[in-house]
Amino acid sequence: MYKLILIDADNTLFDYDKAESFALQSSLKDFGVIKNLEQIQKDYRAINQAMWQLLEKGQITKDALSLERFNILFKKYTLTIPAKAFSQSYLSYLGQSAFLIKDAERIIKYLYENYTVIIVTNGIKTVQYSRLEKSPIKDYHHGMVVSEDIGVSKPDPTFFEHALTLANHRDKKSVLIIGDSLSSDIQGGINFGIDTCWFNDRHSEPEWPILPTYQIHALKEIVPILSADKKRC
C-alpha cells in the first residue's frame, strides 16, 4: 500500500504554462516590447523546453539556462535587451504566479490527509518557494525537494533518494510519484524503482519504453487509483 506520495510542481500542481505567459509578457512590456507578443511567447516556449531537456541530461547548468534561453530569443528577434536584467524580471513575475491546475488544491489536501506528501521539482528555487508560499496549497505537504538545493535533477535516482530521506521513508514499494513529464518524473521514478503515475492532461501518446504504472488525464482520477490500492492490502 502506498504511504509516500511524491508529486511534481510545474504543470502537475501549478499551471506553469499560464505562469510562463504572464511572466514573459509582463517582462517584455516592462522592457518596451509590445508587438508580436504571441509569436515571441511561442518561440520562447520551444526554446525553454529545449533548455530544460538539456538540464535533465546534465548538459547545461540552471544558471546558464536562465540566461541562455533569453539570449537565443532576443537574437532571433534582434532585441537589445540585457538577458540578466530580463531574467531577473521574468523570475520575479514567475514567483508571483501561483496559478493552480484544476482540482490541485482539493487533491493535494486529500493526499496530505492520507499520505506523506513531498513536492518534487527541477524548477528554480526562488520561484518555487515563492509560488508555494503565495498559494492556497502551501500547508498541504510535508516537505519539498528542489533540484537547485541538492545539486541534482530528476530523472537522476539520487534526486529521489533525497526525497525519501526527507520523508524518513525507506520502502520503495510504498512510494508513488505523480508528474506530467515522461522524461523527468516518470523516467526518474522508473530509474529509482518506484511506481509512477503520469498526469497526461494533454492526452499525449506514451513514449516507449517510458511506460508509467498508471496514467490519468485529470488530477481527480488519482483518488480511485489510491482507493483501489488500499483495498488490495
Side-chain angles (χ1 to χ4, degrees):
M1 183 174 73
Y2 297 123
K3 296 181 179 179
L4 172 61
I5 305 294
L6 310 181
I7 188 163
D8 175 54
D10 289 324
N11 281 336
T12 302
L13 291 172
F14 292 98
D15 189 333
Y16 181 80
D17 292 346
K18 186 175 181 180
E20 178 189 78
S21 179
F22 167 75
L24 184 66
Q25 295 199 25
S26 296
S27 296
L28 285 169
K29 290 174 183 177
D30 285 352
F31 280 82
V33 180
I34 58 175
K35 295 181 180 180
N36 301 319
L37 294 182
E38 289 188 6
Q39 185 58 47
I40 293 175
Q41 173 76 49
K42 181 178 179 181
D43 289 334
Y44 170 74
R45 184 159 291 170
I47 293 167
N48 193 41
Q49 288 176 348
M51 291 291 102
W52 282 100
Q53 288 172 0
L54 291 178
L55 181 75
E56 290 175 10
K57 296 174 183 177
Q59 297 176 4
I60 191 172
T61 66
K62 196 158 291 182
D63 286 343
L65 178 154
S66 295
L67 297 181
E68 188 61 19
R69 56 188 176 181
F70 295 121
N71 283 325
I72 295 171
L73 181 70
F74 296 157
K75 183 177 180 180
K76 179 179 178 65
Y77 284 91
T78 62
L79 296 171
T80 56
I81 298 174
K84 184 175 182 179
F86 189 90
S87 179
Q88 291 172 343
S89 171
Y90 173 80
L91 293 178
S92 176
Y93 278 118
L94 204 59
Q96 300 171 30
S97 309
F99 308 121
L100 294 176
I101 294 290
K102 182 179 179 181
D103 293 326
E105 182 177 359
R106 179 170 66 87
I107 294 305
I108 196 169
K109 182 180 179 183
Y110 163 82
L111 295 175
Y112 177 76
E113 291 172 346
N114 292 277
Y115 304 89
T116 300
V117 177
I118 302 294
I119 298 173
V120 291
T121 174
N122 282 350
I124 295 171
K125 65 180 182 180
T126 55
V127 172
Q128 302 298 53
Y129 288 121
S130 175
R131 285 194 308 174
L132 183 60
E133 184 60 29
K134 294 177 186 298
S135 77
I137 67 171
K138 65 179 182 178
D139 296 322
Y140 299 139
H141 67 96
H142 298 92
M144 181 164 70
V145 178
V146 184
S147 60
E148 195 174 355
D149 281 333
I150 62 174
V152 64
S153 302
K154 297 176 288 181
D156 192 311
T158 306
F159 180 99
F160 295 84
E161 286 282 6
H162 280 274
L164 266 66
T165 298
L166 178 61
N168 194 26
H169 189 91
R170 291 290 176 266
D171 180 18
K172 291 185 181 182
K173 293 181 180 179
S174 60
V175 182
L176 176 70
I177 180 168
I178 306 168
D180 71 295
S181 172
L182 283 173
S183 59
S184 65
D185 301 314
I186 306 308
Q187 185 62 65
I190 292 170
N191 292 347
F192 189 59
I194 60 176
D195 283 356
T196 59
C197 180
W198 182 28
F199 175 49
N200 181 19
D201 61 336
R202 301 181 186 185
H203 297 264
S204 303
E205 289 297 322
E207 300 173 9
W208 189 91
I210 308 176
L211 300 177
T213 311
Y214 310 102
Q215 180 178 167
I216 58 175
H217 301 298
L219 286 178
K220 64 183 180 180
E221 294 173 12
I222 194 64
V223 176
I225 289 173
L226 294 174
S227 297
D229 170 66
K230 286 183 178 180
K231 291 179 180 177
R232 286 195 295 268
C233 298

